[in-house]
Amino acid sequence: EALGTRLMPWQQLVADVATERNPADPSRYQYPIVVVTVPRQAGKTTLLRAIAVERALSAGQVATFMTAQTGKDAGDRWKDLVSAVERSPIGGHVRVYRGAGAQSAIFPNDSFIRAFAPTPKSIHGATAHLVMIDEIWAFDQVSGEELFAAVGPTQITIPDRQLWLVSTAGTARSAFMREWVDRGRQAAAQAGGDLAYFEWSSADHF
């Protein structure tokens, strides 16, 4: 709400479930991986923005990295987030760096939200509490797996890590997304898993 948009019921559902803590170890999230697929113009960007900012405010030195189908798209998503933050009550307390390749919003507690290009090299060597990859439909199997593999080492030492994979409908070439839809549906049919899956689609989608 502080960012100017109240969450819709579906967004609130995802936010509530995806951020559940592990009962056996509250320092960890129940679901290290969150997969969300929704129709276009449903509000996924608004949801990601709220999750990223809440996470940045929840503790000090939380590192959030966000990307999309291209570096330009990632930068545009980040700019939208920054605009919402700057209009919010906390806007005057956030330092923003807009340089190419170094787009960061840094909060008073030293948490930050940073955009990165969707390539393994762009996130190599980072330490990331939260990674958000938007529009995963655009990645083929090879590029998607390479990016996923690059994210892993950035989070290996972080107990409360999360990776969000989010998208609208894919195409016949969206093999990476197809894999995660299959994994998500399997996870949703079982209890006690570590993958949270949310899907809103037509009956013949995928």
Side-chain angles (χ1 to χ4, degrees):
E1 290 183 15
L3 295 178
T5 306
R6 177 174 294 183
L7 295 182
M8 293 182 285
W10 81 263
Q11 295 168 322
Q12 190 67 60
L13 171 66
V14 174
D16 289 344
V17 176
T19 59
E20 290 177 0
R21 292 285 182 167
N22 187 324
D25 183 0
S27 68
R28 300 173 182 270
Y29 287 101
Q30 177 66 34
Y31 306 105
I33 299 179
V34 179
V35 180
V36 182
T37 173
V38 294
R40 297 185 184 280
Q41 303 301 315
K44 63 181 177 59
T45 301
T46 299
L47 170 64
L48 294 182
R49 182 186 305 158
I51 293 293
V53 173
E54 188 280 332
R55 195 68 54 85
L57 294 172
S58 66
Q61 300 180 323
V62 172
T64 296
F65 292 81
M66 57 188 299
T67 193
Q69 62 268 47
T70 68
K72 180 182 182 302
D73 290 304
D76 289 344
R77 302 285 197 284
W78 178 86
K79 289 175 184 176
D80 290 342
L81 181 148
V82 166
S83 294
V85 169
E86 290 181 327
R87 293 191 301 268
S88 76
I90 64 172
H93 305 283
V94 178
R95 290 174 288 148
V96 177
Y97 297 91
R98 292 181 167 85
Q103 295 169 306
S104 297
I106 303 177
F107 293 73
N109 58 4
D110 289 329
S111 293
F112 66 81
I113 301 172
R114 181 171 299 164
F116 73 100
T119 65
K121 184 178 179 180
S122 296
I123 199 170
H124 178 74
T127 299
H129 296 77
L130 174 62
V131 177
M132 293 179 156
I133 305 177
D134 196 5
E135 301 295 19
I136 63 170
W137 67 265
F139 300 102
D140 60 26
Q141 192 69 39
V142 172
S143 61
E145 288 182 355
E146 288 178 344
L147 184 56
F148 179 79
V151 169
T154 72
Q155 298 190 306
I156 196 167
T157 62
I158 308 296
D160 59 340
R161 60 184 176 272
Q162 273 196 324
L163 168 63
W164 285 57
L165 302 171
V166 184
S167 194
T168 53
T171 69
R173 297 196 303 173
S174 302
F176 180 69
M177 179 179 177
R178 169 80 258 182
E179 177 184 346
W180 281 101
V181 167
D182 289 342
R183 289 190 189 186
R185 288 175 177 174
Q186 292 174 8
Q190 303 172 2
D194 59 359
L195 189 158
Y197 181 70
F198 306 88
E199 177 184 344
W200 283 268
S201 62
S202 61
D204 60 352
H205 176 55
F206 277 124

